[in-house]
Amino acid sequence: MEPPAAYNGGLNYTYLFTDSSTWTAIWNSVVLVAGVLAASIVFGTIIALLLNNDFPGRNIARLMAIAPFFVMSPVAALIWKNLLLDPVSGLAGWLMTLAGLKPIAWFSVYPMLSIVVIYSWRWIPFATLILLTALQSLDTDQLEAARMDGAKGFARLRYIVLPHLGRPISIVVMLESIFMLSAFAVIYTTTNGGPGDATTTLTYMIFIRALNDFSIGSASAAGVFAIVLANILAFFLIRAVSRTLQA
C-alpha cells in the first residue's frame, strides 16, 4: 500500500468522531438492535405462550416456529429480498396488487424497517425457544392455585408468568444484543448499507472503510471503538443478568 503506514497520533480517532457518518452508523446500529430486541421479546413471548398449550400438531408447530433460526443469514436475506418483498415478483407486491394497492419497493422506501424485519424473522425463533423452555419449568400448581383463587387469565399472565420469564428474557437481551452488534450478512446481501447510509451500521461502516475505501487507519480506529462499545454493553448486560439470576 502506498504511502507506507506511519504513526499519526490520534488523528484517526479525531477523523472518526468528527465524521457525521460515524454517528449515523452508531444510530443505525442502535435502531437495529432495539428493533430486533423489541420484536423478539414481544412476539417470542406470544408464540411461546401459544406453543406451551396442548393442541393437535403441537410438535410440528414448534418445529415450524423455530426453523427460521437455523436458516443462514444470506439465505434469509435472499428469500426476503427476492421472494417476499420484491415489488414486482415478491409475495408482498402480489398481495398489495390484489388489494388494489401500489406495490412498495421496501428496501428503497423503508430500508431499515426491512432489515429489522429480516433479522427479527431469524431471531424471534431463538427467543421463542428460550422462553418456551422457561415456560416448561413453570410450576403448574402455582397457576392452578391462582386460578382457583379467581385470578383471571391476564392477572395470571402479569403476576405469575411474566415474572417467571424475567430471567430468560434477560438472557435473550444479552445474547441478541451481542450478535446484532456484529450484524453484517443481511445488510450486505440486500441494501449494501443504502440507500445512502440509511442502513449502514457500525460494523458495515468498518467494512466499507477497510475493504472499499482502503482507509485502513480509519477502519482500525472504528474497529477499536466497536470493541470498546461491545465490551461496555456486555459488562452492563452481564451485571443485569447476574442480578436477575441472584434474585
Side-chain angles (χ1 to χ4, degrees):
M1 303 293 292
E2 295 291 339
Y7 179 74
N8 66 355
L11 291 181
N12 287 327
Y13 293 96
T14 301
Y15 170 73
L16 176 68
F17 293 112
T18 55
D19 186 359
S20 60
S21 63
T22 299
W23 299 105
T24 301
I26 294 174
W27 173 249
N28 289 338
S29 299
V30 171
V31 171
L32 178 61
V33 173
V36 174
L37 283 178
S40 297
I41 294 172
V42 173
F43 291 103
T45 301
I46 294 174
I47 296 173
L49 290 171
L50 293 175
L51 295 178
N52 193 45
N53 296 317
D54 190 11
F55 58 89
R58 182 177 65 174
N59 293 333
I60 297 177
R62 288 179 175 180
L63 177 62
M64 296 295 292
I66 298 172
F69 179 65
F70 301 100
V71 179
M72 293 178 292
S73 293
V75 176
L78 289 174
I79 290 173
W80 280 88
K81 180 180 181 180
N82 299 317
L83 298 181
L84 297 179
L85 297 183
D86 188 273
V88 177
S89 59
L91 178 61
W94 178 68
L95 292 175
M96 294 183 70
T97 302
L98 287 181
L101 302 175
K102 183 178 180 181
I104 299 174
W106 293 94
F107 291 101
S108 299
V109 181
Y110 303 107
M112 181 53 74
L113 175 62
S114 303
I115 298 298
V116 169
V117 168
I118 297 174
Y119 273 114
S120 298
W121 180 77
R122 287 201 67 240
W123 284 96
I124 287 174
F126 174 77
T128 301
L129 180 62
I130 299 297
L131 299 177
L132 180 60
T133 303
L135 287 174
Q136 299 294 308
S137 64
L138 180 61
D139 188 1
T140 56
D141 293 337
Q142 189 177 11
L143 285 174
E144 184 63 27
R147 186 181 297 109
M148 293 179 63
D149 288 339
K152 302 298 183 180
F154 181 76
R156 295 196 300 270
L157 175 66
R158 178 181 178 183
Y159 294 106
I160 299 178
V161 177
L162 292 183
H164 179 75
L165 294 178
R167 296 177 182 179
I169 287 177
S170 299
I171 295 174
V172 169
V173 170
M174 180 182 70
L175 294 179
E176 289 196 10
S177 297
I178 294 173
F179 278 103
M180 291 311 303
L181 282 176
S182 60
F184 176 82
V186 170
I187 299 174
Y188 179 78
T189 307
T190 56
T191 63
N192 283 315
D197 54 4
T199 56
T200 300
T201 60
L202 186 58
T203 303
Y204 200 81
M205 185 191 72
I206 295 171
F207 162 76
I208 292 176
R209 293 190 177 183
L211 299 180
N212 282 10
D213 301 340
F214 293 101
S215 180
I216 306 301
S218 176
S220 299
V224 172
F225 172 71
I227 292 174
V228 172
L229 183 64
N231 278 275
I232 292 174
L233 177 62
F235 172 77
F236 287 105
L237 288 175
I238 291 174
R239 287 194 62 183
V241 172
S242 298
R243 286 196 299 267
T244 303
L245 294 176
Q246 293 172 2

